[in-house]
Amino acid sequence: GAKREVGESRCFTLETNWRSEPVMVEAINQLFMQSPQGFLYNQDIPFLPVKAGQSNKQLLLDGKGVAGLAFEYLNCASPQGFSAVQRPLAEHFAGQIAAWLAWGQQGRALLCQEQAQSPVNPKDCAVLVRDRFEAQLMRDALAKLNIASVFLVRKSVFATQIAADLLLLLQAMQNPGDEAKVKAAMLTELVGLN
């Protein structure tokens, strides 16, 4: 694979997850450390546990800590294709969000950080989806439960100007004898020549 082609000296790993809560980071570490082979391509992509960079925020339900990771399944009488279960799954998770919001209003679901506690409210909820279709399914499911939602659409990193500039730079490096490519790379913001 690609990892073997570049060699160990050019492989880098982030040691700290700065985005996720410590309980989530620990749950992921525990899950993947269960297998001595790590991922499917264990030799090429080993699992390396990481540290959590955020301060410890904890979700409580009725005074007890909530697990950082939970698995759920959709119980069907017979095997179903993914497209057949997308809507029921969206409705299920919308129902869970509604429950957490209701428990927050009742004072049962709290977010705790150091000494401060606050009830779970809509700004604390997020759903990650693969595409606009899944986003719309989730939005519709939430709307059925009278939960307002917004979805943030970020353009692909490959559609950014820096990605286009990087491509020009890499093409020039691959073809240093091609004057047009070298000049195009030199005119990018990455190089800064004009």
Side-chain angles (χ1 to χ4, degrees), residues 45-81:
I45 308 173
F47 176 76
L48 302 171
V50 298
K51 296 178 280 191
Q54 288 194 21
S55 60
N56 202 4
K57 192 186 293 181
Q58 188 170 21
L59 176 60
L60 302 178
L61 180 59
D62 296 328
K64 296 180 183 154
V66 176
L69 182 65
F71 289 94
E72 302 212 14
Y73 66 94
L74 187 62
N75 194 4
C76 299
S78 62
Q80 302 288 313

Side-chain angles (χ1 to χ4, degrees), residues 82-84 86-87 90 129-140 151:
F82 184 63
S83 60
Q86 281 183 299
R87 188 170 309 283
V129 295
R130 290 185 313 164
D131 55 34
R132 289 176 185 258
F133 177 73
E134 286 184 5
Q136 191 61 52
L137 282 174
M138 197 68 222
R139 188 177 205 168
D140 292 347
F151 63 93

Side-chain angles (χ1 to χ4, degrees), residues 19-41:
R19 298 191 71 173
S20 300
E21 297 296 332
V23 67
M24 169 76 101
V25 172
E26 181 57 30
I28 295 296
N29 284 341
Q30 288 296 318
L31 174 67
F32 285 102
M33 288 189 313
Q34 298 300 310
S35 170
Q37 296 168 334
F39 295 107
L40 179 62
Y41 305 104

Side-chain angles (χ1 to χ4, degrees), residues 38 68 79 82 100 119 122 130 136 147 155 157 168 185 190 194:
F82 184 63
W100 280 103
R130 290 185 313 164
Q136 191 61 52
I147 299 172
K155 66 180 180 179
V157 68
L168 291 172
L190 292 174
N194 54 24

